[in-house]
Amino acid sequence: MVELSGRTVFAGEATADLLVLDAPLSFWGGTDSGGTIVDGHHPQRGVSLTGRVVALPSARGSSSSSSVLAEQIRAGTGPAALVLTEPDAILMLGAWVAAELYGLRLPIVVLTAAEHRLLCARSGPVTVLAGPERATITA
């Protein structure tokens, strides 16, 4: 078991199986409403994000990703948590909108590149506790 400490981008809690993405992802055009990766160039095309703690190196653009993410959270097809190596305002906005409009929280955490690699080497269930100051990830 490993315990990692990160920076909270958006507070919340989640426990779910880990899904490691090998490349950045845009939710707009890169995922469908069911939470499946549909980007034809993404190495994990066809994989579902739904209910998973998703570790990805970073997001990949489109300001509309926030609305796609918020809608996936509302529909119950979004990830359980996001773990990145750099903060992303677009994803944070999607999580914030889902929390404000629907009362549903998607924790978003940033780890250092070294800690992110440690997490990505794991599999199975992961617990994300993202408080207002710091986040703890147990895998």
Side-chain angles (χ1 to χ4, degrees), residues 23-32 37-39 42 49 56 58-65 68 91:
L25 178 68
S26 172
F27 280 75
W28 174 257
T31 64
D32 67 12
I37 297 173
V38 294
D39 180 341
H42 198 279
L49 307 175
L56 65 163
S58 62
R60 192 186 60 176
S62 184
S63 57
S64 297
S65 285
V68 173
L91 296 181

Side-chain angles (χ1 to χ4, degrees), residues 59-113:
R60 192 186 60 176
S62 184
S63 57
S64 297
S65 285
S66 58
S67 62
V68 173
L69 179 60
E71 182 55 26
Q72 287 177 355
I73 296 167
R74 184 204 62 77
T77 60
L82 295 174
V83 183
L84 307 158
T85 58
E86 56 189 62
D88 184 275
I90 293 169
L91 296 181
M92 190 280 303
L93 179 60
W96 181 80
V97 168
E100 290 295 315
L101 292 181
Y102 313 124
L104 301 170
R105 299 192 73 82
L106 172 75
I108 302 176
V109 174
V110 170
L111 295 176
T112 65

Side-chain angles (χ1 to χ4, degrees), residues 105-125:
R105 299 192 73 82
L106 172 75
I108 302 176
V109 174
V110 170
L111 295 176
T112 65
E115 289 176 323
H116 198 266
R117 282 191 298 275
L118 284 173
L119 176 64
C120 291
R122 313 293 292 190
S123 62

